[in-house]
Structures are given as structure tokens and as C-alpha cells.
Amino acid sequence: MNQGRTLFSLFCFLFALTALGASTANAQIYSGRATGINSTVTVSGNPTTTTVADTCPLSPTGGSHIATTPLGIVSGLLRTGPITSTTSGAGNSSQSSSTVQDLNLAAGGYTIRATSVGSTAQCNCCTPTMPTCGGRTTIAGLTVTDPAGAPVTIVPNGTVNQTVSLGTAGSIIINEQTTAAGSITVNALHINITGTNGTNSNVIVASSHSDIECQVTSPTPANVSVSGRVVDANGRAIGRVTVTLTNGADVLKSQSNAMGNFSFAEVEAGPTYILEASSPFYTFSPVVLRVLDEVSDAEIRATSGASGLK
């Protein structure tokens, strides 16, 4: 009677573990994009948009895209050296980056130069369903001169959305960042200048966007082996004992040999099992066995012999 109650309690415990889902794996949804130059020049109300070194959007299933050019040119506005833009998604992360060398931009009488402008963005699923994102900007050799040829003092300080006013002409935003749940966009430089003739130049240099949706799904079960030994209260081997392994849905049977050894092949990894032994000469207590990988040392020990004495 006590053994029956013990088995009932074990099966209730087993059912609870199954309902909670003992084993899960991550399968994410990705998006991302990077561009070296993204400019819109508006003349007399007519906008013209030009994009240079654009990776195009990343597939939701991940992968990687890269866009490079040895020379970036937007006629009448800017010229650059080599540009490299990348975006990728795999495993638990999505990341993008863009680097622009030798920027030389002239708009509204202002001249903006930099030896290197870069941005990076990354989102991770470190915790299931709760993504974290971050990004940064690196700028070297940045100089700005106004229409009179005087230098405009700009010192990138690493803060997010550092804004430099150009008076009525517009502004320069350094390390411009926009975030949302599981998403971040980092623009190394965002330049917006309107000249005295009304021409507006809205230019983003080195833009990186990354996005990830963290998913939790059940993995494809793997099969492993479970083996062990049946022994008496003193640790001596017991042969010809029927051994049963069950998870409440599947029941597997084996028999111990003369050395007390038993084994089960093709056992689904992940569930929690109850391991039992039965013999007309011995009494055994059930064993709760969590099977996550190969098991080679399971032991079933007799609690009493044929006489019923402990």
C-alpha cells in the first residue's frame, strides 16, 4: 500500500515537470540594416535621395549581408573613401555596423570632414523573450568650418544624441540613437543644413540598425541510452530482475544480467522518468531519474529480501 502511494506521488511529480516544459531552446527572428551614406537633398521642394553602401534588410531567418565601395560620391554634396557596411543575425544575436573613411561634405557653406566615421548596433537574447540592445559611435578627425571659413568647435564626448547647433542653418547630431523593444538604430552623424538659397541637405553618415525577437520553442527530442545496476541492500548484484523505465506516456522494459547490469537504448532526452525494478524475491523503491544526457550510473537498490526483513 505504501509503495502504491509512493508511485502515485512520483507520477504526480512527473506530470508537473512535463507540464512546465523541462527542456526548451531559442529560435529568434532577426532584422537589421546598415548604410554608409543616406542623403536627401531638397531643392525647391523636390527631394532627391541617395544611398551608398546599403546592405538592404536582413532576412527574418538571419544570415549576413555586406556592402562595400572604394569610393562614395553624392554629386554636389559629398565624397568619401572606402565604405564597409554589414548586418547579420544568428543564434542569440543580431548585429550591424558601418564605417566611412575620409568624409568630405559641403552644404550651405559649411564644410564637414572626418578621417573615419563608424557605428555599431547589436541586440541579444540573453534571457528568453527579453532582448537587450546597445550601440556606439566612433569618430576620428572631425572638423567643421562655417561659411566664413571659421572653425566650429566640436568635441565628440560619447553621449547619446550629442547635438551641435549651427544656428539658423541647422544642426549636427553625433551618436544619434533610437531604441525600442528589441531594436536599436545608431547614426554616427546626422547632418541637417539649409543654405541661404533654401536648399536643404539631410545626411546620415554610418547608420546601423539591429532588431531581434526572442522566441522560446520546444527542441527536437534527442535519443540517449540509460544504463545502471540492480543491487541488494549490501551492494551485491541481483540478476534476472525486470527493470521498467517510464515517463507516464512511454514504458520501456529491460532485465538485469548476472552482474546486475541493465540498459535501455533510444531513450528520449529531456523528460523525467521513473525507474522501477520488480522481483518475487526483493522489494525495491522507485527512482526518479531526470534524463538530459547519457546515463550510465543509475542504481536500483533493494529495500528488503524475500523474507520481508529490512
Side-chain angles (χ1 to χ4, degrees):
M1 187 67 163
N2 288 336
Q3 185 177 9
R5 289 178 179 172
T6 301
L7 283 174
F8 177 78
S9 299
L10 287 172
F11 274 112
C12 289
F13 173 71
L14 181 62
F15 176 80
L17 281 178
T18 303
L20 287 172
S23 180
T24 57
N26 295 334
Q28 323 310 342
I29 300 174
Y30 312 94
S31 65
R33 189 172 188 171
T35 57
I37 302 293
N38 194 332
S39 75
T40 300
V41 178
T42 303
V43 181
S44 300
N46 297 314
T48 300
T49 298
T50 304
T51 304
V52 182
D54 181 3
T55 63
C56 297
L58 185 66
S59 167
T61 58
S64 62
H65 298 172
I66 184 168
T68 63
T69 180
L71 190 68
I73 298 175
V74 178
S75 181
L77 178 65
L78 64 84
R79 182 184 182 93
T80 75
I83 303 176
T84 300
S85 300
T86 67
T87 186
S88 63
N92 286 338
S93 67
S94 171
Q95 49 274 318
S96 300
S97 68
S98 183
T99 302
V100 178
Q101 305 290 346
D102 301 322
L103 173 69
N104 190 331
L105 182 151
Y110 286 84
T111 299
I112 301 170
R113 295 187 176 93
T115 55
S116 179
V117 180
S119 67
T120 60
Q122 182 166 337
C123 291
N124 300 307
C125 289
C126 295
T127 303
T129 75
M130 296 182 65
T132 57
C133 299
R136 67 188 182 93
T137 289
T138 56
I139 299 175
L142 178 64
T143 63
V144 179
T145 56
D146 65 16
V152 177
T153 302
I154 298 180
V155 180
N157 56 24
T159 61
V160 174
N161 299 324
Q162 179 186 355
T163 302
V164 178
S165 175
L166 301 179
T168 58
S171 65
I172 300 173
I173 303 176
I174 303 171
N175 194 25
E176 182 179 53
Q177 296 193 17
T178 304
T179 60
S183 172
I184 185 170
T185 301
V186 182
N187 300 322
L189 288 177
H190 187 172
I191 302 160
N192 196 329
I193 297 175
T194 299
T196 55
N197 62 353
T199 297
N200 176 261
S201 300
N202 192 339
V203 184
I204 294 174
V205 182
S207 177
S208 300
H209 169 77
S210 287
D211 190 303
I212 195 167
E213 292 183 32
C214 305
Q215 307 290 312
V216 178
T217 60
S218 297
T220 301
N223 289 331
V224 298
S225 65
V226 173
S227 60
R229 198 162 178 255
V230 181
V231 298
D232 65 16
N234 296 314
R236 292 187 292 264
I238 306 176
R240 301 182 63 82
V241 171
T242 299
V243 182
T244 304
L245 185 69
T246 178
N247 62 4
D250 300 318
V251 179
L252 304 175
K253 289 185 179 293
S254 180
Q255 189 173 64
S256 64
N257 60 19
M259 301 297 295
N261 297 320
F262 66 87
S263 65
F264 298 91
E266 300 298 313
V267 178
E268 180 184 326
T272 298
Y273 292 83
I274 294 175
L275 185 64
E276 300 175 82
S278 62
S279 165
F281 307 109
Y282 294 89
T283 301
F284 302 90
S285 291
V287 177
V288 176
L289 192 64
R290 181 76 182 278
V291 179
L292 299 177
D293 206 336
E294 303 285 336
V295 177
S296 60
D297 57 355
E299 181 181 273
I300 307 176
R301 183 176 288 265
T303 58
S304 68
S307 66
L309 298 176
K310 298 289 184 179

